[in-house]
C-alpha cells in the first residue's frame, strides 16, 4: 500500500481533508481561499508528517464533532472539534498485486503456450515488450516455458532463434543493476532446476549463426547484447551438455567439440571483418561483462593449450600451430599471435618453466633463446598490439609477461652470473626489458580514473612494485660486475625511479648511491655517473617526469647514504646539492614552458643555461642558448636574440679547429670548423641587431669580421660586403628614428609566485612606444588572481609572507654611465641618445616629499627628493628584456641639489633643441618656441626667481654654510643659460613666420631684461670662438657630484656570468659610449647627496615636472 500526504484547508465555514496526490494522479480541486492552495498544502504536509497529528482524528461520520460556527477558521475548529464537509471529497485507489498469478496477456500467452500453439511465435516476440519487473517475478516459470518449447520442438529449428533471443533478453534483465540481486536466482535455477538435455545443441548453433551473420555484415540481433549474455549462455550450454553426457554416458562428444571449434572459427572471422561496427561491438561487449571476458580468456587458453601441449608437460614451441588468423588494419597483425602466446604462458607453472629450460641442449642455445625472448617482450611492450582502452587484454598480457620475466631472471642468476659464465649483453637486455615493462603507459595507474585504478589494483595489483623490487635485487646480485653497467644503466634506472610511486622510489633511489660507490672505489671519483645522470635528468624532466616529491626523496635518501660513508660524505653532499639545484630549475622550466605567455619560460631558460655554464656542461649550455634564442625570435625580440647567439659565438675561436660541441639551430652541418661556424653566427647576429635597431652593436661585429677578412683570410670580396653593411649602419644611426624604450621596476611579492619570482624585483625593458598601462596589462595576464599594489615602497612581511600574489610596477629612469670618449666634444644627439637608454645597469626612481615647515609661496625651498637606485645583475639590453635587481641604494636629494639638477636638465634641453635645428633646418619651430618662452617669460614659468628667493638669501647661507659651493654651482648654471638662450632666440628669429613675429619680439624683450639681470648678478658667460656652429653645454656631473655606485651583493665572478660579451674587437680598443661634454670652463662642484638615515615622512607634495618621476597609478 502507498501512503499519500494529506492536508487540511478552510473553505467557507467548513473544514475538510483533501488528498494532495493519488495513485491515479488526479488533480485536487482548488480551494476557495485567499492564499494559493499550493502554499498551504506544502506547509501542512510538513506539519502532518507527524502521524500523531492525524491518527487521532475521527474516522467515521458518526463520531465527528458538531459543525463549527460560521466564519470559524480551521484552527478554531480544531480547538472546538472537527466538522464534516459535505462539499469536499477525496478518492482512494487500490492496486492488488500477486507474486504467483499474472494478468499480463503477453507473458500469460507464453506461460500458457500449449493452449494456443499457433500463437507461439508471436508470444515469443511479445515477451521482449513485457515489463522487466513482471518477467523477473516469474523468472523460473518463464525459463521453464522456453526450454519446454525447445525440448518439445527438438526436431525443428523454427523457434530456436526466437527462444535464443528471449534468453538473451532475460539475461540482460538480470544483468541490469535494478535486478542484479536476481543473479543468485538465475544461478540456482541453472544448478537445480534446469533439465533440458538437448538445449546445448540448439544454443551453440544459434550463437554460431549470430556471429557468422555479424562477420558478413548482415542485419540481425545486436551482437553487443548477445556478448553481454555470453556468460550465462555458456553456463546453459555447459549444464545441458553435462546432463546429456550423464544420461547417455558421454555420447556425441566429438560432435560437441566440432560445434565449439566452429564457433571459435566464426569468432576468428569476426575479428578479421573489415567492418568497424561488429568488431568494436564485440570488444565493448566483452569489456562490459567481466564474466564474459574471463570466460573468453579461459576458453581461448584451453583451446590454444589443447593444440600446443602433446602428452608431456613441456610445450613443444617449435611445433606451435597458428589457430587464429591475423586481423587487418587498424589492429597490428601480431595481436592474435600475442593472444595465443599469452594464453599459453598463463597455463605454464614453475615446473613447466624448469622443464623447458632444462630441455636446451647447450648453454649457447639457452642464451640465444633468452636474448631473443627479452628483445621480443621489449618490442611488444613498446609497440602494444592492442588499443590502449583494451585494459583487460593489456593487463592480462602484462601479468603473464611479468611471471615469465621473473622466471627467466632466476635462470640468469643461476646460469649466467658466475665469473666464467657471465654474459654482459644478456644482463643488459634484462635490465632494459624490466625498466621498459615498469615504465609502460598501461601500468601508470595515476593516469586512470579512481574507479579503474581501484579495479586494477584489486584484480592485478601494482605490478610496478613487483618488477621494481626484482630490478633492485638483480642489481645487487651483480657484485663486482656493477661497474660494467656504469654509465649505461644510469638512464634506465633514473627513468624507473621517476615513476610516481612512493614505495618504488624509496626502494630504488639507493641504487644511485651504489653506482657512485662502485665508481668511486675504482677511480676515486664518480664523474662518469654524474655526467650521465645530469644529462638524462634534463631530458626526463623536460619530458614530463619528476616532481617536487622526487626532489625531496632524492635529496634525503642520498644524503643519508653519503653521510654514512666517510669517503663519500663531502663529494656526495656536493653532488646531491648539484642535482637538487638542477631539479628545481628544471621543474620551474617545465611548469611554464607550455604557457601561452613565454616571458617566464625565458627566465627559466636563462636559469638553466646559467646553471650549466657554472658546472661547465657546454653541450647543455649551448642547447638552452638556442632554446632561448628561438623564444626571443618568436616574440620579435631580435636584440635579445642577437645577444644570446653572441654568447655561443664567443665560445668559438678564429681557427680551423673542428667543432666539438653538437650543432644546434639551423646552421648547416657542413660548417665543420670553428671559424666557419663563428662567421655564420656573426652574420646572423648582425641581421638580428639590424632588425632590433641596435646598429652600434652591429658595427662592432662588422669591425671584427672586417679584420678577419682583411688580415687573416684575405677575402677582399667579403671585406667589401661587410664594409658596405657597416656604412649603411652608420647612415641609419643618423637618419632613422629610434624611440628610446621605457624601463619599469616590477616586484613579485607573496608566496603564491614560483620560486624564481617570489619576493624579487626586476627591471624590465619596455617595447617601442609601449605605455605603462599596456605593459601592466601584459604583465598581469599570466597571473589573473594577482593584486596590484598601489604604492611604490617595499611591502612588509604581511605581503611577502602571505599566500597570495601581489605585483608592484612603476616607471624608472636609466642612469647613464660616464662616457669618456665624447668628453669635451660636440656629438650629434642621435649618437648620444642611444647611450642614455642602452648599456645601462643602474636605474633610479625619485619620490618627492616635504621636509620642515612648508613655504606656501615657494615649494622649491622645502622640496626634498628620495631617490632609490636599483642595480641589476647585468646591463640592459642583454639576453633577456629584464634582469633581477641585485642591489638597492637610497639617497636624499636636498632642495638645492634638486634645483641644480633641474637647471642642468633645462640647459641640456635647450642645447638639444638648438643642435636639432642646426642639423635639420626643416624642423618645425613650435617646440623651440614653447621651450624658450617658458624660460624667458616670468609670467609663464616663474623663471629662476624662485631659486633666488629660496637659496640666494643671506639667511639661507647663514643657516646652511655647507651649501655655499652648491649655491655657487646654481648661480653658474643660471649664468650659462644666458648664452644658450641667446643662440636659441637667434635661431628662432631666423625661422619664425611673419604671423609669429610679434610673439618673437615679446620674447626678445623679455630675454634682454633677463640677460641684463643675469650679467649684473651672476657674470657673463660666452662660448669660445668657432663653437657656435655646434654648442656644448656645461658639465652635468661636476667632480664630486655623482655618488659612487652601490656595491653589488653578488659573489665574486658572478656578475660576469651572463653579462653580454665584450663588444670590442680583439686587438682593438672599443671606444666608450658617448655623453654630452662640458663647457670650456667647469663650474664649481656640487654637494654630494646625503644618504637617507631614515624613511622619508609621508605627505609629500608634487615637485616640478623635471624633478619628478610619476608613481604607478
Amino acid at each position: 500500500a502507498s501512503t499519500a500526504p494529506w492536508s487540511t484547508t478552510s473553505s467557507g465555514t467548513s473544514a475538510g481533508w483533501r488528498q494532495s496526490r493519488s495513485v491515479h494522479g488526479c488533480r485536487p480541486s482548488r480551494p476557495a481561499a485567499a492564499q494559493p492552495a499550493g502554499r498551504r498544502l506544502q506547509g501542512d504536509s510538513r506539519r502532518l508528517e507527524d502521524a500523531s497529528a492525524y491518527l487521532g482524528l475521527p474516522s467515521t461520520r458518526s463520531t465527528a464533532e458538531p459543525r463549527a460556527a460560521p466564519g470559524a477558521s480551521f484552527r478554531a475548529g480544531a480547538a472546538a472539534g472537527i466538522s464534516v464537509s459535505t462539499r469536499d471529497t477525496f478518492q482512494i485507489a487500490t492496486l492488488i498485486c500477486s507474486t504467483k498469478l499474472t494478468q499480463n496477456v503477453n507473458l500469460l500467452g507464453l506461460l500458457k503456450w500449449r493452449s494456443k500453439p499457433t500463437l507461439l511465435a508471436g508470444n515469443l516476440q511479445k515477451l521482449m515488450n513485457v515489463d522487466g519487473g513482471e518477467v523477473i517475478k516469474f523468472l523460473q516459470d518463464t525459463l521453464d516455458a522456453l526450454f519446454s518449447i525447445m525440448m518439445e520442438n527438438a526436431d525443428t529449428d523454427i523457434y530456436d532463434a526466437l527462444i535464443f533471443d528471449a534468453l538473451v533478453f532475460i539475461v540482460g534483465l538480470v544483468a541490469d543493476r535494478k535486478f542484479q540481486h536476481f543473479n543468485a536466482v538465475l544461478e540456482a535455477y541453472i544448478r537445480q532446476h534446469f533439465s533440458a538435455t538437448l538445449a546445448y545443441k540448439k544454443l551453440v548453433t544459434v550463437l554460431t549463426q549470430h556471429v557468422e551473420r555479424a562477420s558478413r555484415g548482415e542485419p540481425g540481433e545486436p551482437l553487443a547484447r548477445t556478448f553481454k549474455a555470453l556468460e550465462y549462455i555458456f553456463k546453459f550450454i555447459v549444464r545441458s551438455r553435462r546432463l546429456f553426457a550423464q544420461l547417455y554416458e558421454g555420447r556425441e562428444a566429438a560432435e560437441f567439440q566440432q560445434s565449439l571449434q566452429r564457433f571459435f572459427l566464426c569468432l576468428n572471422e569476426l575479428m578479421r571483418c573489415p567492418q568497424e561496427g561488429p568488431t568494436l561491438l564485440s570488444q565493448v561487449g566483452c569489456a562490459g561483462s567481466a564474466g564474459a571476458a574471463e570466460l573468453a580468456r579461459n576458453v581461448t587458453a584451453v583451446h590454444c593449450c589443447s593444440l600446443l601441449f602433446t602428452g608431456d608437460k613441456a610445450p613443444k614451441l617449435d611445433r606451435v600451430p597458428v589457430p587464429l588468423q591475423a586481423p587487418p588494419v587498424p589492429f597490428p597483425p601480431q595481436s592474435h599471435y600475442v593472444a595465443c602466446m599469452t594464453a599459453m604462458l598463463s597455463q605454464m607453472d614453475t615446473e613447466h618453466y624448469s622443464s623447458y629450460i632444462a630441455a636446451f641442449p647447450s648453454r649457447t642455445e639457452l642464451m640465444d633463446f633468452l636474448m631473443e625472448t627479452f628483445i621480443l617482450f621489449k618490442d611488444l611492450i613498446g609497440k602494444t598490439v592492442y588499443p590502449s582502452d583494451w585494459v583487460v587484454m593489456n593487463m592480462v598480457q602484462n601479468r603473464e609477461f611479468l611471471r615469465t620475466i621473473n622466471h627467466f631472471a632466476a635462470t640468469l642468476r643461476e646460469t649466467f652470473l658466475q665469473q666464467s659464465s657471465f654474459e654482459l649483453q644478456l644482463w643488459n637486455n634484462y635490465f632494459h626489458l624490466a625498466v621498459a615493462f615498469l615504465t609502460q603507459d598501461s601500468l601508470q595507474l595515476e593516469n586512470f580514473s579512481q574507479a579503474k585504478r581501484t579495479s586494477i589494483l584489486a584484480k592485478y595489483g601494482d605490478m610496478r612494485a613487483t618488477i621494481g623490487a626484482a630490478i633492485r635485487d638483480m642489481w645487487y646480485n651483480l657484485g663486482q660486475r656493477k661497474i660494467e653497467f656504469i654509465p649505461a644503466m644510469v638512464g634506465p634506472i633514473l627513468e624507473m625511479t621517476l615513476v610516481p610511486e612512493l614505495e618504488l622510489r624509496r626502494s630504488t633511489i639507493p641504487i644511485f648511491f651504489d653506482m657512485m660507490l662502485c665508481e668511486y672505489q675504482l677511480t676515486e671519483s664518480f664523474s662518469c655517473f654524474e655526467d650521465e645522470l645530469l644529462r638524462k635528468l634534463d631530458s626526463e624532466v623536460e619530458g614530463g617526469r619528476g616532481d617536487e616529491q622526487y626532489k625531496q626523496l632524492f635529496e634525503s635518501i642520498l644524503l643519508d647514504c653519503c653521510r654514512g660513508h666517510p669517503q663519500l660524505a663531502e663529494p656526495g653532499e656536493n653532488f646531491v646539492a648539484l642535482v637538487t639545484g638542477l631539479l628545481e630549475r628544471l621543474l620551474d622550466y617545465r611548469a611554464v614552458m607550455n604557457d601561452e605567455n613565454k616571458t617566464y619560460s625565458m627566465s627559466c631558460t636563462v636559469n638553466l643555461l646559467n646553471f650549466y655554464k657554472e658546472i661547465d656542461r657546454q653541450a647543455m649550455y649551448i642547447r638552452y642558448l638556442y632554446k632561448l634564442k628561438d623564444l626571443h625570435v618568436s616574440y620579435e625580440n631580435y636584440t635579445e636574440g642577437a645577444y644570446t647567439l653572441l654568447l655561443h659565438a664567443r665560445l668559438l675561436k678564429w681557427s680551423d679547429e673542428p667543432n666539438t660541441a653538437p650543432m644546434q639551430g639551423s646552421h648547416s652541418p657542413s660548417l665543420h670548423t670553428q671559424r666557419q661556424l663563428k662567421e655564420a653566427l656573426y652574420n646572423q647576429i648582425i641581421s638580428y641587431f639590424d632588425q632590433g635597431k641596435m646598429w652600434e652593436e652591429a658595427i662592432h661585429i662588422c669591425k671584427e669580421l672586417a679584420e678577419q677578412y682583411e688580415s687573416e683570410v684575405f677575402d677582399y670580396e667579403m671585406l667589401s660586403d661587410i664594409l658596405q653593411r657597416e656604412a649603411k649602419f652608420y647612415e641609419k644611426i643618423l637618419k632613422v628614428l629610434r624611440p628610446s624604450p621605457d624601463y619599469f621596476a616590477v616586484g613579485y611579492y607573496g608566496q603564491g609566485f614560483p620560486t624564481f619570482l617570489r619576493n624579487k624585483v626586476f627591471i624590465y625593458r619596455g617595447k617601442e612606444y609601449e605605455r605603462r598601462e599596456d605593459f601592466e596589462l601584459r604583465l598581469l595576464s599570466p597571473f589573473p588572481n594577482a593584486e596590484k599594489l598601489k604604492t611604490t615602497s617595499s611591502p612588509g612581511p604581511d605581503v611577502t609572507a602571505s599566500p597570495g600574489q601581489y605585483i608592484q610596477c612603476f616607471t624608472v629612469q636609466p642612469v647613464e654611465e660616464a662616457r669618456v670618449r665624447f668628453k669635451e666634444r660636440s656629438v650629434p644627439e642621435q649618437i648620444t641618445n642611444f647611450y642614455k637608454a642602452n648599456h645601462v645597469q643602474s636605474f633610479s626612481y625619485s619620490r618627492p616629499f616635504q621636509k620642515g615647515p612648508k613655504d606656501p609661496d615657494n615649494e622649491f625651498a622645502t622640496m626634498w627628493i628620495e631617490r632609490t637606485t636599483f642595480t641589476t645583475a647585468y646591463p640592459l639590453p642583454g639576453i633577456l628584456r629584464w634582469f633581477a635587481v641585485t642591489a638597492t641604494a637610497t639617497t636624499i636629494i636636498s632642495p638645492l641639489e634638486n634645483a641644480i639638477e633641474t637647471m642642468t636638465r633645462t640647459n641640456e634641453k635647450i642645447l638639444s633643441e638648438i643642435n636639432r635645428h642646426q642639423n635639420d633646418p626643416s624642423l618645425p619651430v613650435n617646440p623651440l618656441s614653447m621651450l624658450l618662452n617658458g624660460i624667458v617669460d616670468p609670467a609663464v614659468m616663474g623663471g629662476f626667481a624662485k631659486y633666488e628667493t629660496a637659496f640666494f638669501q643671506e639667511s639661507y647661507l647663514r643657516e646652511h654654510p655647507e651649501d655655499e659651493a652648491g649655491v655657487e654651482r646654481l648661480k653658474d648654471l643660471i649664468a650659462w643659460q644666458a648664452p644658450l638662450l641667446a643662440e636659441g632666440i637667434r635661431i628662432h628669429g631666423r625661422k619664425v613666420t611673419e604671423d609669429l613675429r610679434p610673439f618673437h619680439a615679446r620674447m626678445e624683450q623679455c630675454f634682454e631684461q633677463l640677460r641684463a639681470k643675469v650679467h649684473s648678478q651672476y657674470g657673463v658667460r660666452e662660448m669660445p670662438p668657432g663653437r657656435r656652429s655646434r654648442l656644448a653645454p656645461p658639465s652635468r656631473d661636476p667632480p664630486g657630484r655623482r655618488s659612487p655606485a652601490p656595491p653589488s651583493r653578488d659573489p665574486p665572478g658572478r656578475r660576469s656570468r651572463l653579462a653580454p660579451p665584450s663588444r670590442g674587437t680583439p686587438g682593438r680598443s672599443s671606444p666608450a659610449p658617448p655623453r654630452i661634454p662640458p663647457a670650456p670652463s667647469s663650474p664649481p662642484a656640487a654637494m654630494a647627496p646625503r644618504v637617507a638615515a631614515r624613511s622619508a615622512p609621508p605627505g609629500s607634495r608634487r615637485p616640478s615636472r623635471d624633478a619628478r618621476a610619476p608613481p604607478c597609478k
Side-chain angles (χ1 to χ4, degrees), residues 366 543 552 712 771 1055:
L366 175 59
Q552 296 172 1
E712 297 293 335
R771 301 180 304 164
R1055 288 173 59 83

Side-chain angles (χ1 to χ4, degrees), residues 36-97:
R39 186 178 304 172
R40 291 195 304 274
L41 290 172
Q42 182 180 4
D44 291 340
S45 65
R46 284 199 298 267
R47 183 175 63 84
L48 293 178
E49 287 178 359
D50 184 9
S52 61
Y54 58 82
L55 289 180
L57 296 177
S59 58
T60 62
R61 175 175 257 178
S62 59
T63 57
E65 296 292 334
R67 184 182 298 272
S73 66
F74 171 75
R75 295 186 181 275
I82 301 299
S83 61
V84 177
S85 173
T86 58
R87 293 181 299 173
D88 295 338
T89 61
F90 67 91
Q91 295 178 347
I92 297 178
T94 61
L95 177 65
I96 301 176
C97 291

Side-chain angles (χ1 to χ4, degrees), residues 113-150:
W113 66 274
R114 287 187 177 86
S115 60
K116 295 182 180 181
T118 56
L119 302 179
L120 180 56
N123 290 332
L124 286 171
Q125 292 176 349
K126 293 177 182 178
L127 177 64
M128 270 61 111
N129 300 325
V130 178
D131 179 73
E134 194 73 11
V135 176
I136 289 298
K137 287 190 296 183
F138 300 96
L139 181 60
Q140 182 175 341
D141 295 337
T142 305
L143 291 174
D144 286 341
L146 290 175
F147 287 112
S148 297
I149 296 170
M150 183 178 289

Side-chain angles (χ1 to χ4, degrees), residues 209-230:
Q209 291 172 356
H210 279 338
V211 176
E212 285 179 340
R213 281 196 297 269
S215 63
R216 293 194 299 265
E218 298 177 3
E221 173 72 14
L223 202 59
R225 190 161 57 188
T226 301
F227 270 77
K228 287 182 179 180
L230 195 62

